Each structure stands twice: as C-alpha cells, then as structure tokens.
C-alpha cells in the first residue's frame, strides 16, 4: 500500500486481515521494521482509541511517534487557494502539510466533517490537500466520510469470532443520539462489509429509519431495510451506530421510538454479537444490559484496533521508497 484512506487502497483485504491476526499472535516479530522511522499523528478532533492504538502499533514496530493536536496546539490553517490571508488563518495547508512531511516518514490525519455543506465534506477537500502537500504516505485516522482503521478492526473482529457454518449475517443498525454525528463510521463499515460480501464472507444488511439512508456510493450490494425487527431476524452480528441524515445533510430527523438495541431485540437474532466503534452513549444508543452482557464485542473490537493499525503501518513501512 502507498496510503490507507479507504478500502480501495487495499489490494487484498483477506491478506490484511490475516496480517492483523498474525500480529495479534506475535506483536513484536517486526519490531525493527520501523527503526529510525517516524510516524506523525495529526488530530483536528478528539480521540481515545485511534490515538492510543495507532501509537502503540507504531511502537510495536519500532517507530518513533509524534502527536500534534492541531486543533489546540497548531496554527489556524487556511485551505482555500488564492485567498489573501488577512483574516484569522495563520498558515496555509500547503506549507503546514509539507513541513510535517519533512519530519515524518508516515503521517496519520483525523479531520471530521463540518456537517454544514455536503459537497464540501464529501469532496474531502482538507484531507486530499493534506495528502497532496505532505509528500509522504498518509493513514486516515478518520476523515469526513470514512474511518478505515475502524472498519478493518471490525472486519478482523468478525473474521476472528465467527465460529458458525456458512456466512454470518451482519446488520448495521441505526441508533438514536442527541447530537448530529458524521456518516464516516457507517459509510466506511458499509464499504468494507460490501467488499467482504463480494468475496462471499458474509451477508450484509443496513437498517435505518426513513431519511437516514447513507450515500449509495458506500452501500453497493447491501440489503437496505427500514424495519428494525425484520432486519434483526437471524442476525449473527449487529453493528450499532448513530449517524445524521445524508439526504437532509447533517440533520437529526424525527424517528419512531424503539431504535435503541436491547436484550428484548436480541431475542430476534441468532444470539447476535453486538458491536459499536465507541464512544457509546449508554442507554441511548445501546442498553447497558447489552454492553455489560455476554453478547457485547465492543472491548474486543476496540482491542483489535491495535492489530489493524499495526498491519497497516507494517505494510506502509514495507512499501516506503
Ligand atoms: N472509534 C474511535 O475511532 O474512537 P476514538 O474517536 O476515541 O478514536
């Protein structure tokens, strides 16, 4: 791989999943691969899992890690070309990204959408400019539209835990929230699950209230449903997640009661394992009884973020020119 910004950067997802599981079994087998190499992690938004798992992954590979909280510690960045910078922005992304590329062999970037202008967010203007100007391989730590390190960890978790016969039924289920959240996690999860479905690993369904449909660009081949109970029938994995509307961009729409996942709804499934990327709002998105119960995979899934990140960094290090 030359970069890791979406599933489209991966030639062979099976190999990457196997690499992640091999690293989980033997974390320090490549601990000299990253010697004298530096990973820079640039955050424009908060993070717990992505920050710590990617740092730990780099350390396991022998890399040096630098973290920049750009939102709190960096200069305010200008992203538009051709503007006279006589306002609040101090440094253009052309210089800022290029300078970071001078200090680092690989850069990670987290840049959430503003959820105001759909075209602006879905064009990934900031992210793409960062990639263009930094001049080194970039790992997405979550962009406006995707969170591929999370999705890889999710796929690793499903592959690792599925002990049934045949293909598991995986359901991405919309859940309530008080805030307008990005579509990056569900877009990305869907994109990876659709790819896995193409490879005959699983069957994939998305269920959401009317008005919360994801962009069709991210859901090729997914079964789309609107009735939660119907979608949950026979499910082996339920991926619970809130997202704001794509159609009425960034809005929290009204929806009927009954979308929070709980033990009552689990009875409709094939004793499904329940996943969530975290952070999760207890008893709003997902019931405490599930989170504290035997069906929850959320901690296991978060643990696999480390092996997903390590597999990606290992591949990038092996392909550094
Ligand atoms: N799931 C996830 O990306 O967590 P953080 O936002 O804490 O990194």
């Amino acid at each position: 791989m030359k970069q890791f910004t979406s599933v489209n950067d991966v030639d062979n997802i099976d190999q990457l999943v196997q690499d992640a599981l091999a690293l989980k079994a033997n974390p320090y087998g490549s601990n000299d691969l990253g010697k004298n190499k530096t990973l820079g992690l640039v955050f424009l938004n908060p993070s717990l899992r992505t920050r710590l798992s990617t740092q730990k992954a780099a350390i396991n590979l022998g890399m040096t890690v630098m973290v920049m909280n750009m939102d709190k510690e960096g200069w305010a960045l200008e992203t538009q070309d051709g503007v006279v910078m006589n306002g609040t922005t101090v440094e253009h992304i052309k210089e800022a990204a290029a300078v970071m590329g001078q200090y680092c062999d690989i850069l990670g970037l987290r840049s959430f959408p503003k959820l105001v202008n759909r075209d602006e967010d879905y064009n990934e203007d900031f992210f793409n400019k960062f990639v263009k100007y930094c001049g080194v391989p970039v790992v997405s730590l979550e962009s406006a539209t995707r969170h591929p390190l999370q999705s890889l960890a999710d796929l690793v978790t499903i592959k690792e835990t599925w002990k049934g016969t045949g293909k598991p039924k995986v359901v991405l289920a919309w859940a309530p929230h008080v805030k307008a959240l990005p579509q990056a996690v569900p877009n990305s999860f869907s994109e990876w699950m659709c790819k896995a479905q193409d490879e005959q690993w699983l069957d994939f369904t998305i269920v959401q209230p009317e008005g919360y449909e994801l962009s069709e660009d991210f859901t090729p081949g997914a079964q789309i449903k609107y009735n939660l109970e119907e979608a949950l029938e026979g499910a082996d994995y339920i991926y619970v997640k809130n997202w704001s509307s794509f159609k009425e961009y960034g809005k929290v729409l009204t929806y009927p009661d009954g979308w929070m996942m709980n033990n009552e709804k689990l009875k409709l499934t094939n004793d499904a394992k329940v996943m969530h990327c975290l952070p999760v709002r207890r008893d709003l998105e997902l019931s405490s009884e599930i989170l504290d119960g035997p069906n929850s995979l959320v901690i296991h899934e978060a643990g696999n973020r480390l092996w997903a990140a390590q597999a990606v960094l290992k591949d990038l290090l092996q392909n550094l020119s």
Side-chain angles (χ1 to χ4, degrees):
M1 274 186 297
K2 293 291 180 199
Q3 60 174 14
F4 184 73
T5 63
S6 83
V7 73
N8 302 320
D9 292 321
V10 183
D11 288 335
N12 185 337
I13 57 169
D14 186 31
Q15 186 61 55
L16 195 57
V17 168
Q18 295 310 324
D19 288 351
L21 290 170
L23 288 164
K24 186 169 185 173
N26 181 22
Y28 309 113
S30 303
N31 63 1
D32 56 354
L33 186 65
K35 192 176 173 208
N36 298 330
K37 301 291 181 201
T38 300
L39 174 69
L41 299 178
V42 181
F43 287 89
L44 279 83
N45 313 95
S47 168
L48 187 160
R49 280 142 291 270
T50 307
R51 172 185 304 250
L52 296 182
S53 62
T54 312
Q55 282 190 56
K56 172 75 174 152
I59 291 165
N60 286 357
L61 291 165
M63 298 185 83
T64 299
V65 189
M66 300 192 295
V67 180
M68 179 85 193
N69 297 309
M70 203 68 194
D71 53 335
K72 299 182 189 72
E73 297 159 356
W75 301 113
L77 293 184
E78 179 59 59
T79 59
Q80 300 308 308
D81 293 325
V83 293
V84 176
M85 287 173 55
N86 58 1
T88 54
T89 55
V90 179
E91 180 161 31
H92 202 280
I93 190 167
K94 278 188 181 183
E95 284 82 40
V99 168
M100 287 189 261
Q102 295 289 307
Y103 306 144
C104 300
D105 300 282
I106 299 174
L107 280 160
L109 175 66
R110 169 165 283 200
S111 163
F112 286 175
K114 295 190 181 77
L115 293 179
V116 176
N117 181 322
R118 190 167 87 177
D119 288 343
E120 193 177 297
D121 289 343
Y122 274 68
N123 285 342
E124 295 277 14
D125 183 59
F126 183 87
F127 200 91
N128 289 337
K129 282 184 173 151
F130 187 88
V131 169
K132 179 176 173 186
Y133 296 123
C134 73
V136 297
V138 173
V139 178
S140 170
L141 306 174
E142 189 172 341
S143 71
T145 62
R146 290 180 171 98
H147 194 356
L149 281 177
Q150 178 68 53
S151 312
L152 172 58
D154 298 333
L155 188 56
V156 168
T157 304
I158 292 170
K159 284 286 262 189
E160 183 187 23
T161 57
W162 175 239
K163 306 294 180 209
T165 54
K167 293 186 281 185
K169 176 178 174 180
V170 178
V171 178
L172 169 61
W174 184 91
H177 205 284
V178 288
K179 285 178 65 182
L181 298 190
Q183 296 101 31
V185 169
N187 278 346
S188 196
F189 183 76
S190 176
E191 202 169 46
W192 283 72
M193 292 303 121
C194 288
K195 187 99 172 172
Q197 181 171 254
D198 285 347
E199 302 200 0
Q200 309 298 318
W201 290 7
L202 49 83
D203 291 320
F204 181 52
T205 298
I206 305 172
V207 60
Q208 76 262 302
E210 295 273 356
Y212 281 101
E213 298 83 356
L214 296 169
S215 162
E216 290 179 4
D217 291 345
F218 296 87
T219 64
Q223 271 205 60
I224 308 294
K225 291 189 183 287
Y226 295 91
N227 182 303
L228 182 58
E229 281 72 20
E230 190 189 309
L232 293 179
E233 268 175 39
D236 298 297
Y237 292 89
I238 310 166
Y239 197 90
V240 178
K241 185 72 185 89
N242 171 268
W243 59 91
S244 60
S245 176
F246 174 74
K247 276 185 181 167
E248 293 188 53
Y249 190 63
K251 292 210 164 40
V252 176
L253 310 174
T254 56
Y255 56 89
D257 287 339
W259 281 83
M260 186 185 76
M261 197 60 57
N262 56 24
N263 275 350
E264 197 57 33
K265 293 194 180 68
L266 262 190
K267 289 179 189 160
L268 299 165
T269 71
N270 185 27
D271 197 24
K273 296 296 183 195
V274 180
M275 302 174 70
H276 189 290
C277 63
L278 306 179
V280 64
R281 299 249 183 167
R282 281 177 169 250
D283 298 311
L284 177 67
E285 289 177 87
L286 192 47
S287 70
S288 290
E289 59 187 3
I290 288 187
L291 284 164
D292 297 332
N295 291 62
S296 173
L297 278 183
V298 299
I299 303 302
H300 187 124
E301 179 186 358
N304 280 340
R305 291 291 307 274
L306 169 53
W307 315 115
Q310 196 167 328
V312 168
L313 291 175
K314 182 170 177 239
D315 191 306
L316 291 173
L317 282 169
Q318 285 167 332
N319 284 291
L320 280 181
S321 45

